Amino acid sequence: MSQTARLSGLSHVNRVDDGPPLAELLDERRHLVALAHRMLGSADDAESAVDECYRRWYALSDRERERIPVPLTWLSAGVDRICRVRRALPQPEGAAHAVRPTVPDTIVARPRTPEPTTLRQHDAVVHAVRRALLAADADLLLPLLAPDATAFFDGGGKIRTLVAPVHGRDRVARGLLSLLDRSPHTTLAAHSVNGRTGLVVRHGRRVVAVLSLDVSGAEAVGVWVVVNLDKLRSWNAGHRP
């Protein structure tokens, strides 16, 4: 049985762990911000209302979120309610921005102590992972991940991504392939991230995700995926080449 067949054969119950494609998540937030802007007339107020809606989404339990068949419908209704309340009950100056998402940042603890890896070995694994993701090829990706690999997704509560860490080679592969499901305007390039080679995802000219990898021997043991809009701001402000 091929690696791809093994992945596709896993229980459909686990599909909730995969997470939606990044392009879909970006379109979702743009839709919600546009909706809120039409209702409130202010870009800042619209962003604040959408952030509040995502905060409510993450306040749900995993089981409650799984029961929502179309998240965009739930989120749109939530934004509509928040905007109607804010229009009916004007808040004191600055209050609209007082609420912040409560989703924690990405956990930074390493899954295990990696074996010593040279820069050349690290770069080789990162470039191989890039090729596998570009090809959307599970057969190429799985051997590059340690059996106990862990992936962390940091959305900062401002985009609907996975909250809990994803454990195990199969689930990490599925999560990455799902998130980076290619769209016509998406590119994936190797780039220095925190002093070592990582991967940068662009949608058009905008950086929408940054991936850093912990490598042990010839395998990635940890993958950190940052899609937090606040943390990506410097990547889109001319601070990075």
Side-chain angles (χ1 to χ4, degrees):
M1 178 184 294
S2 72
Q3 303 277 26
T4 301
R6 182 158 61 89
L7 281 186
S8 61
L10 292 177
S11 170
H12 70 88
V13 174
N14 290 333
R15 291 297 174 185
V16 69
D17 295 337
D18 297 356
L22 183 56
E24 177 183 321
L25 297 178
L26 296 172
D27 288 343
E28 173 185 278
R29 184 175 176 93
R30 280 193 290 267
H31 169 81
L32 296 174
V33 170
L35 171 63
H37 190 274
R38 288 195 299 270
M39 298 185 70
L40 298 177
S42 162
D44 288 344
D45 289 343
E47 292 282 353
S48 174
V50 172
D51 288 348
E52 166 65 9
C53 188
Y54 277 119
R55 185 189 70 81
R56 296 181 183 184
W57 169 265
Y58 284 115
L60 300 174
S61 68
D62 289 344
R63 184 177 296 274
E64 288 173 324
R65 287 195 296 268
E66 291 170 16
R67 289 174 177 169
I68 298 173
V70 184
L72 180 58
T73 300
W74 187 96
L75 291 164
S76 297
V79 167
D80 180 82
R81 286 192 298 270
I82 291 167
C83 291
R84 289 179 186 277
V85 169
R86 291 190 178 187
R87 286 193 309 187
L89 300 172
Q91 298 177 340
E93 184 177 354
H97 308 290
V99 176
R100 292 293 182 267
T102 57
V103 178
D105 284 343
T106 301
I107 300 171
V108 296
R110 285 347 191 203
R112 62 181 169 91
T113 302
E115 298 175 10
T117 303
T118 67
L119 286 176
R120 179 173 293 183
Q121 289 173 315
H122 176 92
D123 291 355
V125 172
V126 173
H127 284 285
V129 168
R130 174 181 176 271
R131 289 191 294 271
L133 292 174
L134 285 173
D137 191 329
D139 291 333
L140 291 178
L141 181 59
L142 283 166
L144 301 170
L145 302 172
D148 59 347
T150 301
F152 304 94
F153 297 82
D154 177 8
K158 296 194 173 186
I159 191 169
R160 186 174 52 84
T161 189
L162 298 174
V163 179
V166 176
H167 300 289
R169 171 187 285 159
D170 290 345
R171 290 189 176 184
V172 170
R174 281 213 318 265
L176 293 176
L177 289 170
S178 176
L179 183 73
L180 300 178
D181 189 27
R182 299 300 305 284
S183 71
H185 304 293
T186 300
T187 61
L188 178 65
H191 200 291
S192 177
V193 177
N194 297 326
R196 280 209 162 192
T197 302
L199 298 173
V200 172
V201 184
R202 287 183 172 84
H203 188 71
R205 300 184 62 182
R206 178 186 173 202
V207 174
V208 294
V210 174
L211 285 69
S212 59
L213 287 77
D214 268 359
V215 174
S216 178
E219 299 173 324
V221 297
V223 183
W224 278 258
V225 183
V226 176
V227 291
N228 185 331
L229 301 178
D230 291 337
K231 293 183 179 180
L232 295 176
R233 188 170 291 122
S234 64
W235 288 84
N236 292 298
H239 296 171
R240 305 274 184 175

